[in-house]
Amino acid sequence: MPHYFTMPKLGMDMTEGRIAAWLAGEGSWVKAGQPFLEIETDKATNELEAPVSGKLARIVHPAGEQVACGTIIAVFLDENEAMPVVIPQSLAENETATSEVIIEEGPQMEKPETAPAAGQRFSVTPSARKMAEELGVDLTEVEFVGGHISRADVQRAFERRNSQSVSSELERIIKPLLGIRKVTAERMLASVNATARVALNLSVDASALSARREASGRQISYNVLIAKAVSIALRKYPYMNARLSRDEIWEFRTINIGIAVQTEQGLYVPVLREVDRKEIDSLQAEYLALVDRAKSGKLTSADLSGGTFTISNLGEEHIESFVPVINLPECAILGVGAIQPKPVVEDANVVIRNMMMLTLVFDHRLVDGKPAGRFLNEIKEILEKNDY
């Protein structure tokens, strides 16, 4: 019987993946264990091996498509085995992989030439329907090829609608939205649409933080020192080390902190694990290894998964403060600004201190403003007292 290969779930938070490349062509014979496919998830590219020996008889989804986990993407057949008449979309027994839409007749309906005709039945994948709702795309105006509307079809409709307002006289360079940039765009949009974001700002005297780094001969990263301080605050206020899962709030005992790293390829968020339980020197070595893998394009799914809180630092770019986007499905993210000398009033005197702005962005569905403020003030106190 045919062997159906589905989009695998390569990480705890993974719901879909992008097919980066097929390493074996349709109709070719492959051996079990032979690399035959590259999947891009959460900005890491993973090389997958064939699960069985046989003929790669059908590639259901071509390279470049974003596909939900559990969706069938390829069919393997034994020698002399016939292709099944119908290829299911999913192996899940009780899951409906598509939903049906009927286009009603209407005198004022205006449709593109290749959009669904009136009365035509077609299918929409659940992720495409959700994306259409988020982007405000009318499914009756989406052009598609094949039997169903996919996320890629919705994305093209959204871009086509927006591009119509741009004058054709303007000079422009058109670049495809692919790979890391596309993953980032989709995740950021999903975060903004799915969370009740609130931002809190707090100035921190970073004199002790700067002195500690200078004492190390600048061998310790500010990101590592801040991550350690944050981990201690998370241990005291575990409601910030959380996520929303349907009708449940999950608070994690393990503290894994993702730190945003910008590279030529795009933005990555590798994860430092069990930060509260490790010494600074150990965290620094782990951080440098992650940054090196990020810049060389060798991060794995394991490097990018399992985060419970994220830090984004734009201090090197001399940005004083900013409002970062929550890294779903986490509860919050901390934006770190540049350390700059500023006048501060102390005991009725004006003195110069190295100040740093922290911005905590949190999901108000999980945490209220006052508890979030306590957490941010705890980070401030830890950094200023150098008490860790």
Side-chain angles (χ1 to χ4, degrees), residues 32-85:
Q34 172 186 334
F36 82 111
L37 171 65
E38 288 183 351
I39 296 293
E40 189 177 84
T41 67
D42 290 340
K43 308 168 196 172
T45 300
N46 303 270
E47 190 176 78
L48 302 184
E49 298 177 349
V52 295
S53 296
K55 180 181 179 181
L56 180 55
R58 180 65 55 84
I59 292 176
V60 182
H61 292 275
E65 280 200 10
Q66 199 85 9
V67 183
C69 292
T71 301
I72 292 172
I73 59 177
V75 182
F76 289 89
L77 296 178
D78 293 331
E79 190 173 2
N80 299 324
E81 187 176 10
M83 176 67 67
V85 176

Side-chain angles (χ1 to χ4, degrees), residues 39 54 84 107 116 147 169-170 174 200 203 211 215 252 264 299 322 329 388:
I39 296 293
E169 298 177 0
L170 297 177
I174 300 176
L200 303 178
S203 293
F252 296 101
E264 293 182 359
L299 284 171
F322 64 103
Y388 64 101

Side-chain angles (χ1 to χ4, degrees), residues 126-280:
S127 59
R129 180 181 289 280
K130 181 179 179 182
M131 186 177 187
E133 292 174 355
E134 292 174 348
L135 298 180
V137 173
D138 185 350
L139 288 172
T140 66
E141 298 180 353
V142 176
E143 300 175 7
F144 66 98
V145 178
H148 67 272
I149 291 177
S150 67
R151 287 173 60 90
D153 297 324
V154 174
Q155 182 69 35
R156 282 193 296 270
F158 175 72
E159 293 169 357
R160 185 167 54 251
R161 184 187 68 188
N162 289 350
S163 65
Q164 291 173 354
S165 62
V166 179
S167 171
S168 60
E169 298 177 0
L170 297 177
E171 293 186 8
R172 58 185 182 269
I173 298 173
I174 300 176
K175 300 179 180 179
L177 184 63
L178 297 172
I180 296 170
R181 186 72 265 153
K182 184 173 183 178
V183 172
T184 301
E186 291 179 349
R187 289 178 66 88
M188 295 301 100
L189 179 63
S191 176
V192 171
N193 288 337
T195 58
R197 296 187 305 154
V198 177
L200 303 178
N201 296 311
L202 193 62
S203 293
V204 174
D205 185 342
S207 300
L209 179 65
S210 298
R212 183 165 184 170
R213 183 169 184 265
E214 292 298 325
S216 73
R218 299 191 177 184
Q219 297 300 308
I220 304 297
S221 167
Y222 278 122
N223 284 334
V224 169
L225 293 172
I226 294 170
K228 184 64 177 180
V230 169
S231 73
I232 297 171
L234 287 172
R235 195 163 55 195
K236 183 173 181 179
Y237 299 107
Y239 54 76
M240 299 301 302
N241 198 47
R243 70 177 54 175
L244 187 64
S245 180
R246 296 183 181 178
D247 295 328
E248 298 176 336
I249 297 176
W250 294 358
E251 290 185 4
F252 296 101
R253 295 179 179 177
T254 303
I255 298 174
N256 295 338
I257 298 181
I259 300 179
V261 177
Q262 187 69 51
T263 72
E264 293 182 359
Q265 294 76 33
L267 182 66
Y268 295 84
V269 187
V271 178
L272 286 173
R273 302 186 181 281
E274 299 185 339
V275 180
D276 59 320
R277 300 177 184 178
K278 295 178 181 177
E279 300 296 329
I280 295 291

